[in-house]
Amino acid sequence: MREPIEPSKPAPDFWRASLWHTLERDAVGRHRPTDAFLRGWLERPELVPPEEAGPAERALHAALLRDPRRPITPVSLLALEDPGARENWELFAAFRDHLLAHPTLEEAYLALFSDGPVRLPPPFLDGLVQPILRGILEQKRDPFRARAAECFFRPQRASVVEGTVFLADEATVERQARTGGLGRLGELLVQAQAPLPRVELEVLRPENAQSYWARADRFDLVLDLGFGREGLDALARVLEAWIHHMLDVAVRIEPVARIRDERWSWHVGLDAEASAILNALWAGETLDEDRSARLLALFRLEFREPSLVLPALRGRPVYLGLASEASGRVRSKPQNLLVNLPLAAAG
């Protein structure tokens, strides 16, 4: 059974935009939504009425700021002047109502994948994952784990340099390419067709690790997933913590260089491409060099309590994979670890 959380020295403050600081926690560390959390969502650029917004949208936004739990009726949505704004508010209403139908963010997130097809777009799913992870990381002061956890809710760009995999935040890469690291000035230079300086993002290393806390919300540090490096081990530890927090199941996860197991019985892809690659390998297919190179990391998962596993798979490991798309994009699906493990209760 899950043990009550014990007070510990808090990690340096980070990820303020996750709104984790506005949540309440129950005795076992799960997160209860609050009015402040909902207001934080209402203050995001997608929902703040722009200057050209009509009176109905402004009135709806103001009313929800006063009472973020008040009903959002179909009539109030139909009254909105702009179809794009109406769609945004419909999505927010579905997200908020689903969240308030469950005691905690964790239960709301799990229900999204057990109650039928997921209809919320990725920003809403990420908006649940990030504060949950922020709470998990509060118990461990480790910048490598914090950077590895970013992969759960922010798309990454993978590159391979001399056989070592590096992950950089996709939005940061795109912004740096657009501005040369010079912000608005860089955008103006691009418009003027002036050359921009080449920007090299910094790799997270032991010697600069403590700088993570001051720059965490910039998402500008690269994660080194080289075998035997701190980043790969940190990702394994975050995967363990995510499963334990969400499912109350203790596991041990270790990176592996390859799968050498004649009795390979179960695997879980941490993203859609990894799932497809692992399925192909398990079926005995031979992958071409390009597709093989997309498999960025492999892990071996073992359950600490074998009785929780389906009887036919007790004592057998589960292999996990992380992969990139052909474009180099890495979009993880942390829900895969919650719904695809061979747990007896789920069988």
Side-chain angles (χ1 to χ4, degrees):
M1 296 296 292
R2 185 189 301 273
E3 297 294 332
I5 60 172
E6 298 179 0
S8 64
K9 187 176 181 181
D13 198 16
F14 62 105
W15 297 357
R16 294 290 301 184
S18 72
L19 301 173
W20 173 79
H21 308 76
T22 67
L23 296 165
E24 297 175 351
R25 303 191 77 179
D26 64 19
V28 295
R30 292 197 165 196
H31 299 84
R32 298 191 186 104
T34 63
D35 286 358
F37 182 75
L38 297 175
R39 287 192 182 96
W41 274 89
L42 291 166
E43 291 167 355
R44 296 191 174 193
E46 298 85 353
L47 291 175
V48 173
E51 291 184 4
E52 65 273 16
E57 184 179 357
R58 293 184 179 279
L60 176 62
H61 187 260
L64 286 168
L65 283 176
R66 290 191 297 271
D67 178 10
R69 297 175 189 253
R70 68 174 288 155
I72 303 175
T73 65
V75 172
S76 65
L77 292 175
L78 285 173
L80 298 180
E81 298 83 358
D82 179 60
R86 189 180 308 130
E87 182 179 4
N88 284 345
W89 283 104
E90 287 172 348
L91 289 170
F92 173 74
F95 169 75
R96 187 207 63 173
D97 292 348
H98 177 82
L99 182 60
L100 294 180
H102 299 85
T104 65
L105 269 64
E106 287 84 350
E107 288 162 284
Y109 184 79
L110 288 167
L112 285 169
F113 306 101
S114 60
D115 294 350
V118 178
R119 294 185 174 85
L120 291 176
F124 290 99
L125 301 181
D126 297 339
L128 293 177
V129 172
Q130 187 180 11
I132 292 172
L133 282 168
R134 176 62 181 83
I136 292 172
L137 293 168
E138 185 72 359
Q139 304 303 307
K140 180 69 177 180
R141 187 191 295 263
D142 185 342
F144 284 96
R145 296 189 191 188
R147 175 58 185 90
E150 294 176 17
C151 302
F152 283 54
F153 58 89
R154 290 183 68 89
Q156 305 288 307
R157 282 283 170 178
S159 59
V160 180
V161 180
E162 297 181 354
T164 298
V165 175
F166 295 91
L167 295 183
D169 185 83
E170 181 179 61
T172 301
V173 170
E174 292 175 351
R175 183 176 65 252
Q176 298 287 63
R178 186 175 65 251
T179 68
L182 299 177
R184 177 58 180 159
L185 173 60
E187 293 181 351
L188 293 174
L189 289 173
V190 169
Q191 293 172 12
Q193 297 184 340
L196 293 176
R198 180 177 178 178
V199 177
E200 296 287 348
L201 295 178
E202 189 175 0
V203 179
L204 184 65
R205 301 291 189 199
E207 54 269 24
N208 68 359
Q210 291 308 312
S211 72
Y212 176 87
W213 309 117
R215 59 202 290 184
D217 292 283
R218 286 157 37 191
F219 303 106
D220 63 352
L221 281 165
V222 176
L223 185 66
D224 180 349
L225 285 186
F227 199 78
R229 302 280 177 80
E230 294 86 356
L232 190 61
D233 180 76
L235 182 54
R237 303 290 81 77
V238 175
L239 293 170
E240 289 175 350
W242 173 251
I243 294 170
H244 186 257
H245 180 82
M246 296 296 292
L247 300 179
D248 195 19
V249 172
V251 298
R252 179 65 179 173
I253 298 176
E254 293 296 340
V256 294
R258 57 185 57 83
I259 300 176
R260 291 175 172 171
D261 188 343
E262 293 181 355
R263 298 177 59 200
W264 177 359
S265 305
W266 201 276
H267 57 264
V268 177
L270 302 178
D271 55 87
E273 183 65 18
S275 295
I277 290 174
L278 290 175
N279 287 342
L281 291 173
W282 182 81
E285 297 180 22
T286 300
L287 305 182
D288 61 43
E289 185 176 348
D290 287 344
R291 196 173 185 203
S292 294
R294 293 181 208 162
L295 190 58
L296 307 176
L298 286 167
F299 303 90
R300 176 188 173 106
L301 178 152
E302 295 180 338
F303 294 90
R304 294 189 181 274
E305 180 46 68
S307 65
L308 298 176
V309 183
L310 291 170
L313 295 169
R314 287 174 188 169
R316 302 298 307 146
V318 173
Y319 294 99
L320 313 176
L322 178 71
S324 66
E325 300 169 4
S327 64
R329 190 173 198 251
V330 180
R331 186 59 164 114
S332 69
K333 294 185 175 182
Q335 66 268 27
N336 287 4
L337 279 173
L338 308 180
V339 299
N340 292 334
L341 291 177
L343 296 174

